[in-house]
Amino acid sequence: EQPSPEMEALIGKDKYESFFEMAKTHILKMDRNSESFLPQAAQKIVSTALEQEYGEKVTKDPGYPQMEKTLTKKILDDPRYREMVEEFLKTLSL
């Protein structure tokens, strides 16, 4: 299975740089003024991290959508992690 063009472009970078660039690419396309921006951005952060860490194959697992939803909810429901996501999103917009 061939990596996506985006993943091929990121292979030479360390995984944190790659994660940041992939998340940034997706999140900057979102409407920051939308009421659903924070949950959608958090979901994209979770999905990008999981895909990068475990490969695209993980997203095809039948249980993946529920796992992604659960992780996103836990992050947004915990004030400490929610604040981290908000700070990350501020960093992306700079």
Side-chain angles (χ1 to χ4, degrees):
E1 190 174 304
Q2 287 285 66
S4 68
E6 291 127 342
M7 290 305 285
E8 282 184 355
L10 298 173
I11 286 175
K13 300 181 185 220
D14 79 26
K15 71 180 186 177
Y16 299 107
E17 283 180 83
S18 297
F19 165 76
F20 186 80
E21 287 186 28
M22 290 276 294
K24 184 176 182 177
T25 298
H26 293 291
I27 292 169
L28 290 179
K29 294 176 186 173
M30 295 178 175
D31 179 3
R32 294 182 82 65
N33 298 318
S34 168
E35 287 183 22
S36 61
F37 173 71
L38 183 60
Q40 288 178 341
Q43 179 271 328
K44 186 45 76 177
I45 291 168
V46 168
S47 68
T48 301
L50 289 171
E51 185 175 339
Q52 183 175 343
E53 192 64 30
Y54 300 106
E56 192 175 287
K57 176 172 72 171
V58 75
T59 64
K60 294 177 181 14
D61 185 285
Y64 178 80
Q66 184 63 34
M67 178 180 65
E68 181 185 81
K69 183 178 177 182
T70 300
L71 288 170
T72 301
K73 183 176 177 357
K74 287 199 175 287
I75 288 168
L76 292 175
D77 287 349
D78 186 316
R80 297 168 300 167
Y81 299 129
R82 184 182 188 101
E83 185 178 329
M84 286 181 201
V85 168
E86 290 169 345
E87 284 297 314
F88 180 74
L89 294 172
K90 285 180 193 170
T91 301
L92 286 181
S93 66
L94 296 178

